[in-house]
Short mmCIF file of all heavy atoms in Angstrom, two decimals:
data_model
loop_
_atom_site.label_atom_id
_atom_site.label_comp_id
_atom_site.label_asym_id
_atom_site.label_seq_id
_atom_site.Cartn_x
_atom_site.Cartn_y
_atom_site.Cartn_z
N LEU A 1 0.98 -91.70 -49.50
CA LEU A 1 1.95 -90.61 -49.74
C LEU A 1 1.29 -89.21 -49.61
O LEU A 1 1.91 -88.23 -49.90
CB LEU A 1 2.56 -90.75 -51.15
CG LEU A 1 3.39 -92.01 -51.42
CD1 LEU A 1 3.78 -92.08 -52.88
CD2 LEU A 1 4.58 -92.09 -50.50
N GLU A 2 0.05 -89.17 -49.18
CA GLU A 2 -0.67 -87.91 -49.14
C GLU A 2 -0.92 -87.48 -47.70
O GLU A 2 -1.08 -88.29 -46.80
CB GLU A 2 -2.00 -88.02 -49.87
CG GLU A 2 -1.89 -88.28 -51.36
CD GLU A 2 -3.24 -88.34 -52.01
OE1 GLU A 2 -3.79 -87.29 -52.32
OE2 GLU A 2 -3.74 -89.46 -52.21
N ARG A 3 -0.97 -86.14 -47.50
CA ARG A 3 -1.23 -85.59 -46.17
C ARG A 3 -2.18 -84.39 -46.29
O ARG A 3 -2.16 -83.69 -47.31
CB ARG A 3 0.08 -85.15 -45.48
CG ARG A 3 1.04 -86.30 -45.31
CD ARG A 3 2.18 -85.91 -44.46
NE ARG A 3 3.11 -87.04 -44.25
CZ ARG A 3 4.02 -87.13 -43.31
NH1 ARG A 3 4.17 -86.12 -42.45
NH2 ARG A 3 4.78 -88.18 -43.17
N ALA A 4 -2.94 -84.15 -45.22
CA ALA A 4 -3.77 -82.97 -45.11
C ALA A 4 -3.15 -82.03 -44.07
O ALA A 4 -2.48 -82.48 -43.15
CB ALA A 4 -5.20 -83.37 -44.70
N PHE A 5 -3.36 -80.73 -44.25
CA PHE A 5 -2.70 -79.76 -43.38
C PHE A 5 -3.68 -78.72 -42.89
O PHE A 5 -4.62 -78.31 -43.60
CB PHE A 5 -1.57 -79.03 -44.15
CG PHE A 5 -0.55 -79.94 -44.76
CD1 PHE A 5 -0.65 -80.36 -46.08
CD2 PHE A 5 0.54 -80.37 -44.02
CE1 PHE A 5 0.29 -81.22 -46.61
CE2 PHE A 5 1.48 -81.20 -44.55
CZ PHE A 5 1.38 -81.64 -45.87
N ILE A 6 -3.44 -78.25 -41.66
CA ILE A 6 -4.09 -77.06 -41.11
C ILE A 6 -3.04 -76.29 -40.35
O ILE A 6 -1.99 -76.84 -39.95
CB ILE A 6 -5.29 -77.42 -40.19
CG1 ILE A 6 -4.86 -78.35 -39.07
CG2 ILE A 6 -6.45 -77.94 -40.97
CD1 ILE A 6 -5.91 -78.63 -38.05
N THR A 7 -3.28 -75.03 -40.12
CA THR A 7 -2.33 -74.19 -39.38
C THR A 7 -2.96 -73.49 -38.19
O THR A 7 -4.17 -73.16 -38.21
CB THR A 7 -1.71 -73.12 -40.31
OG1 THR A 7 -2.74 -72.30 -40.84
CG2 THR A 7 -0.93 -73.78 -41.47
N PHE A 8 -2.13 -73.27 -37.18
CA PHE A 8 -2.51 -72.49 -36.00
C PHE A 8 -1.43 -71.45 -35.77
O PHE A 8 -0.27 -71.70 -35.97
CB PHE A 8 -2.66 -73.39 -34.77
CG PHE A 8 -3.73 -74.42 -34.89
CD1 PHE A 8 -3.44 -75.70 -35.38
CD2 PHE A 8 -5.04 -74.15 -34.52
CE1 PHE A 8 -4.42 -76.66 -35.49
CE2 PHE A 8 -6.03 -75.13 -34.62
CZ PHE A 8 -5.72 -76.37 -35.12
N ASP A 9 -1.84 -70.27 -35.31
CA ASP A 9 -0.90 -69.15 -35.12
C ASP A 9 -0.75 -68.81 -33.64
O ASP A 9 -1.76 -68.67 -32.91
CB ASP A 9 -1.38 -67.90 -35.87
CG ASP A 9 -1.28 -68.04 -37.36
OD1 ASP A 9 -0.52 -68.93 -37.81
OD2 ASP A 9 -1.94 -67.29 -38.08
N LEU A 10 0.50 -68.66 -33.22
CA LEU A 10 0.83 -68.19 -31.89
C LEU A 10 1.41 -66.78 -32.04
O LEU A 10 2.50 -66.58 -32.55
CB LEU A 10 1.89 -69.11 -31.25
CG LEU A 10 2.48 -68.64 -29.89
CD1 LEU A 10 1.40 -68.38 -28.87
CD2 LEU A 10 3.50 -69.66 -29.39
N GLY A 11 0.57 -65.79 -31.67
CA GLY A 11 0.99 -64.40 -31.83
C GLY A 11 1.90 -63.93 -30.75
O GLY A 11 1.92 -64.44 -29.63
N TYR A 12 2.70 -62.92 -31.07
CA TYR A 12 3.67 -62.38 -30.09
C TYR A 12 3.86 -60.88 -30.33
O TYR A 12 4.02 -60.44 -31.50
CB TYR A 12 5.01 -63.08 -30.18
CG TYR A 12 5.97 -62.79 -29.03
CD1 TYR A 12 6.01 -63.61 -27.93
CD2 TYR A 12 6.78 -61.66 -29.08
CE1 TYR A 12 6.84 -63.34 -26.86
CE2 TYR A 12 7.65 -61.41 -28.02
CZ TYR A 12 7.67 -62.24 -26.92
OH TYR A 12 8.50 -61.95 -25.86
N GLY A 13 3.87 -60.13 -29.25
CA GLY A 13 4.19 -58.71 -29.29
C GLY A 13 5.04 -58.39 -28.06
O GLY A 13 4.64 -58.73 -26.93
N LEU A 14 6.18 -57.77 -28.26
CA LEU A 14 7.06 -57.50 -27.17
C LEU A 14 6.45 -56.46 -26.25
O LEU A 14 6.03 -55.38 -26.72
CB LEU A 14 8.43 -57.05 -27.69
CG LEU A 14 9.60 -57.04 -26.71
CD1 LEU A 14 9.93 -58.43 -26.23
CD2 LEU A 14 10.83 -56.40 -27.37
N PRO A 15 6.37 -56.73 -24.91
CA PRO A 15 5.83 -55.73 -23.99
C PRO A 15 6.57 -54.39 -24.07
O PRO A 15 7.78 -54.35 -24.34
CB PRO A 15 6.01 -56.39 -22.62
CG PRO A 15 5.99 -57.87 -22.91
CD PRO A 15 6.72 -57.98 -24.26
N GLU A 16 5.87 -53.34 -23.79
CA GLU A 16 6.41 -51.97 -23.89
C GLU A 16 7.59 -51.74 -23.01
O GLU A 16 8.49 -50.95 -23.33
CB GLU A 16 5.30 -50.97 -23.54
CG GLU A 16 5.64 -49.53 -23.73
CD GLU A 16 5.73 -49.13 -25.21
OE1 GLU A 16 5.12 -49.82 -26.04
OE2 GLU A 16 6.44 -48.14 -25.52
N GLN A 17 7.68 -52.47 -21.90
CA GLN A 17 8.77 -52.23 -20.91
C GLN A 17 10.14 -52.55 -21.48
O GLN A 17 11.15 -52.09 -20.94
CB GLN A 17 8.50 -53.10 -19.67
CG GLN A 17 8.69 -54.60 -19.91
CD GLN A 17 8.07 -55.44 -18.86
OE1 GLN A 17 6.88 -55.35 -18.55
NE2 GLN A 17 8.87 -56.26 -18.20
N TYR A 18 10.23 -53.33 -22.56
CA TYR A 18 11.53 -53.71 -23.12
C TYR A 18 11.95 -52.78 -24.24
O TYR A 18 12.99 -53.02 -24.86
CB TYR A 18 11.51 -55.14 -23.66
CG TYR A 18 11.12 -56.17 -22.60
CD1 TYR A 18 9.94 -56.88 -22.66
CD2 TYR A 18 11.96 -56.40 -21.49
CE1 TYR A 18 9.58 -57.82 -21.72
CE2 TYR A 18 11.62 -57.33 -20.51
CZ TYR A 18 10.42 -58.04 -20.65
OH TYR A 18 10.11 -58.96 -19.69
N LEU A 19 11.17 -51.74 -24.52
CA LEU A 19 11.46 -50.83 -25.62
C LEU A 19 11.87 -49.48 -25.11
O LEU A 19 11.42 -49.01 -24.07
CB LEU A 19 10.22 -50.71 -26.56
CG LEU A 19 9.71 -52.01 -27.15
CD1 LEU A 19 8.40 -51.73 -27.89
CD2 LEU A 19 10.72 -52.63 -28.10
N LEU A 20 12.75 -48.80 -25.90
CA LEU A 20 13.11 -47.42 -25.58
C LEU A 20 11.95 -46.49 -25.91
O LEU A 20 11.08 -46.83 -26.70
CB LEU A 20 14.36 -47.02 -26.38
CG LEU A 20 15.66 -47.74 -26.00
CD1 LEU A 20 16.75 -47.37 -26.99
CD2 LEU A 20 16.10 -47.41 -24.58
N PRO A 21 11.90 -45.32 -25.30
CA PRO A 21 10.86 -44.34 -25.61
C PRO A 21 10.80 -44.06 -27.11
O PRO A 21 11.86 -44.05 -27.78
CB PRO A 21 11.23 -43.11 -24.78
CG PRO A 21 12.07 -43.66 -23.68
CD PRO A 21 12.82 -44.84 -24.24
N MET A 22 9.64 -43.78 -27.60
CA MET A 22 9.45 -43.57 -29.04
C MET A 22 10.21 -42.31 -29.50
O MET A 22 10.11 -41.25 -28.91
CB MET A 22 7.97 -43.41 -29.36
CG MET A 22 7.69 -43.34 -30.89
SD MET A 22 5.91 -43.31 -31.21
CE MET A 22 5.41 -44.94 -30.67
N ALA A 23 10.98 -42.51 -30.56
CA ALA A 23 11.75 -41.38 -31.13
C ALA A 23 10.87 -40.58 -32.05
O ALA A 23 9.74 -40.95 -32.38
CB ALA A 23 12.98 -41.92 -31.86
N ALA A 24 11.40 -39.45 -32.50
CA ALA A 24 10.68 -38.62 -33.43
C ALA A 24 10.46 -39.36 -34.76
O ALA A 24 11.35 -40.10 -35.19
CB ALA A 24 11.42 -37.32 -33.67
N PRO A 25 9.30 -39.19 -35.41
CA PRO A 25 9.04 -39.91 -36.67
C PRO A 25 10.06 -39.61 -37.73
O PRO A 25 10.46 -38.48 -37.91
CB PRO A 25 7.65 -39.42 -37.10
CG PRO A 25 7.06 -38.90 -35.82
CD PRO A 25 8.18 -38.35 -35.03
N VAL A 26 10.49 -40.68 -38.42
CA VAL A 26 11.40 -40.54 -39.54
C VAL A 26 10.75 -41.25 -40.74
O VAL A 26 10.56 -42.48 -40.69
CB VAL A 26 12.77 -41.13 -39.24
CG1 VAL A 26 13.69 -41.04 -40.47
CG2 VAL A 26 13.42 -40.45 -38.04
N ALA A 27 10.42 -40.51 -41.74
CA ALA A 27 9.73 -41.12 -42.90
C ALA A 27 10.71 -41.93 -43.73
O ALA A 27 11.84 -41.52 -43.95
CB ALA A 27 9.11 -40.02 -43.75
N LEU A 28 10.27 -43.12 -44.12
CA LEU A 28 11.08 -43.98 -44.99
C LEU A 28 10.68 -43.68 -46.43
O LEU A 28 9.52 -43.87 -46.83
CB LEU A 28 10.84 -45.46 -44.67
CG LEU A 28 11.59 -46.46 -45.49
CD1 LEU A 28 13.11 -46.34 -45.25
CD2 LEU A 28 11.13 -47.87 -45.21
N SER A 29 11.63 -43.18 -47.17
CA SER A 29 11.31 -42.78 -48.57
C SER A 29 11.09 -43.98 -49.43
O SER A 29 11.49 -45.09 -49.14
CB SER A 29 12.45 -41.93 -49.14
OG SER A 29 13.63 -42.76 -49.28
N ASN A 30 10.37 -43.76 -50.53
CA ASN A 30 10.17 -44.81 -51.51
C ASN A 30 11.51 -45.29 -52.08
O ASN A 30 11.65 -46.50 -52.39
CB ASN A 30 9.27 -44.33 -52.63
CG ASN A 30 7.83 -44.16 -52.22
OD1 ASN A 30 7.39 -44.82 -51.28
ND2 ASN A 30 7.12 -43.25 -52.85
N ASP A 31 12.46 -44.38 -52.20
CA ASP A 31 13.78 -44.77 -52.71
C ASP A 31 14.45 -45.76 -51.73
O ASP A 31 15.07 -46.73 -52.16
CB ASP A 31 14.64 -43.56 -52.87
CG ASP A 31 14.20 -42.66 -54.03
OD1 ASP A 31 13.44 -43.21 -54.90
OD2 ASP A 31 14.58 -41.51 -54.09
N ALA A 32 14.31 -45.51 -50.44
CA ALA A 32 14.93 -46.40 -49.45
C ALA A 32 14.26 -47.75 -49.48
O ALA A 32 14.91 -48.78 -49.41
CB ALA A 32 14.85 -45.76 -48.08
#
């Protein structure tokens, strides 16, 4: 009834070509 485990990670980041140009910074308040 026992098992051993290990993990492997497949990373992903969307290429820049699929994103709109960067907008002006908007700070996220602590309240938000």
Side-chain angles (χ1 to χ4, degrees):
L1 299 174
E2 295 182 82
R3 299 189 179 198
F5 303 94
I6 54 174
T7 59
F8 297 92
D9 290 341
L10 172 56
Y12 191 93
L14 195 64
E16 186 71 23
Q17 69 197 57
Y18 302 114
L19 301 174
L20 293 173
M22 187 174 293
V26 177
L28 181 63
S29 67
N30 289 333
D31 289 342

